[in-house]
Amino acid sequence: MFTVLGITFPIFAMVVLGYALVARGMFKPADMKTFGSWTMNIALPALIFHAVASRPVSEVFNLAYMGIYLSGALITIVIGFLWFSATQDPARRGVAIMGTSCPNSGFVGYPLILVLFPDQAGLVLAFNMLVENVVIIPLALVIMELGKPKDQSHPLRQVAQVLLGVVKRPLVIGIALGLVVSITGITLPGPVDRLVSLISASAAALALLVIGGSLVGLPLRGNRALAAQIVAGKLLVMPAATALLMVALGSFGISLPHDLAVAVILSAAVPMFAIYSVFAQEAGHAGLASLAQVGATAFSFVTLNLLLLILT
């Protein structure tokens, strides 16, 4: 147990530190947006680029890992759609589904995997980000759009905008450039390689700091019962669906190495992504999303530790 706590303590301690620094006034909430922009637009894309570019292209696409991760998310989305369609109005349904199915791989998942499997962390992040940015997040956005009143909803136009937004994401551009280098066999010059590594090194600590600092001042007014369901969906249903799917596929001879098997379940078990409340605000439910995000971040300390105790 103490070994498991030794893995998670630095991660959650950094989250608490970020919260304390903002709550005490040493940093402003706006500073967290700046740090977050650096992490999402510069540090993580550099990290993913380096992880992909430094490996043969045969190692860049692990279809078994990506298929299991994607399928676990899709199962969660289907379960969420059925449950929340029966219990909530369409607008809340979209917000709830996004909360249960969009993990925070960049700000929480990557630092966690980095502690456990440092050699695999960058590649796992690339796998996760590719699946999330190309399929999971766009699908969740489309479901949210479908929940808008008919005179405000333009599904086909929204799908086109979402796909265009995916192509423009720095994380996706980082993956694409890394693939070009990997496929062509280009070797990065030493100074360039060291520069990219230096930028990448800032990702983990700043990501965790941003998570904690961003929790300060969130509007915590909303449907607590629904927020609790979102938290349960994200922290329990998605990792359970992923794990059960992996076990089922194992009976057909489709399996992952131990480190990737642990990584895919943990990746599914992290809280929802940092800009969840921003998307929910467009649907008029920022308070609900913030309440769920704070709850998921807090309770993930328990659930992630239990998972690590079971898996490691």
Side-chain angles (χ1 to χ4, degrees):
M1 184 64 185
F2 287 107
T3 302
V4 170
L5 288 175
I7 294 170
T8 58
F9 172 78
I11 294 168
F12 285 94
M14 281 296 297
V15 173
V16 172
L17 177 62
Y19 185 93
L21 289 173
V22 174
R24 293 284 183 176
M26 294 186 69
F27 288 106
K28 299 177 182 178
D31 296 331
M32 295 300 106
K33 293 182 180 179
T34 302
F35 293 156
S37 294
W38 166 265
T39 304
M40 287 298 293
N41 297 322
I42 305 296
L44 286 177
L47 188 152
I48 289 177
F49 166 77
H50 191 266
V52 173
S54 60
R55 288 175 168 83
V57 70
S58 59
E59 296 181 18
V60 172
F61 288 106
N62 189 314
L63 296 182
Y65 178 100
M66 296 169 72
I68 290 170
Y69 187 58
L70 173 59
S71 299
L74 293 178
I75 291 171
T76 305
I77 289 174
V78 171
I79 293 173
F81 191 90
L82 295 174
W83 174 258
F84 293 121
S85 291
T87 60
Q88 305 295 328
D89 62 77
R92 287 177 182 265
R93 177 190 64 194
V95 172
I97 289 172
M98 175 173 279
T100 60
S101 60
C102 295
N104 197 339
S105 294
F107 284 12
V108 180
Y110 168 69
L112 178 61
I113 303 302
L114 182 64
V115 174
L116 285 168
F117 311 115
D119 293 337
Q120 297 282 357
L123 207 52
V124 167
L125 179 63
F127 296 156
N128 292 349
M129 285 296 188
L130 190 59
V131 171
E132 290 164 16
N133 283 278
V134 174
V135 183
I136 301 175
I137 295 174
L139 181 57
L141 287 171
V142 169
I143 293 174
M144 286 185 69
E145 281 298 310
L146 293 176
K148 291 183 177 180
K150 294 300 181 183
D151 58 345
Q152 297 180 22
S153 180
H154 303 280
L156 294 178
R157 182 182 300 174
Q158 182 62 23
V159 169
Q161 291 175 346
V162 167
L163 293 177
L164 182 61
V166 167
V167 174
K168 291 181 177 180
R169 286 177 183 269
L171 291 163
V172 175
I173 293 173
I175 294 173
L177 292 177
L179 278 172
V180 170
V181 174
S182 178
I183 292 171
T184 57
I186 297 172
T187 301
L188 294 177
V192 174
D193 185 77
R194 286 190 290 274
L195 173 63
V196 174
S197 298
L198 184 63
I199 294 173
S200 303
S202 67
L206 270 182
L208 294 170
L209 201 70
V210 168
I211 286 294
S214 298
L215 297 178
V216 179
L218 286 179
L220 300 180
R221 292 187 298 275
N223 186 325
R224 294 187 179 184
L226 179 54
Q229 293 172 44
I230 295 171
V231 171
K234 184 69 218 62
L235 301 184
L236 301 177
V237 175
M238 187 170 176
T242 304
L244 290 173
L245 179 66
M246 188 164 56
V247 172
L249 290 175
S251 62
F252 294 97
I254 302 174
S255 61
L256 295 175
H258 178 262
D259 53 352
L260 289 182
V262 173
V264 74
I265 296 174
L266 290 177
S267 296
V270 298
M272 62 281 290
F273 61 167
I275 55 174
Y276 172 48
S277 59
V278 176
F279 286 121
Q281 187 175 24
E282 297 178 3
H285 294 295
L288 169 65
S290 298
L291 193 61
Q293 194 162 11
V294 171
T297 302
F299 281 105
S300 66
F301 178 76
V302 177
T303 56
L304 286 175
N305 275 303
L306 288 175
L307 271 177
L308 282 170
L309 193 62
I310 294 169
L311 298 173
T312 60

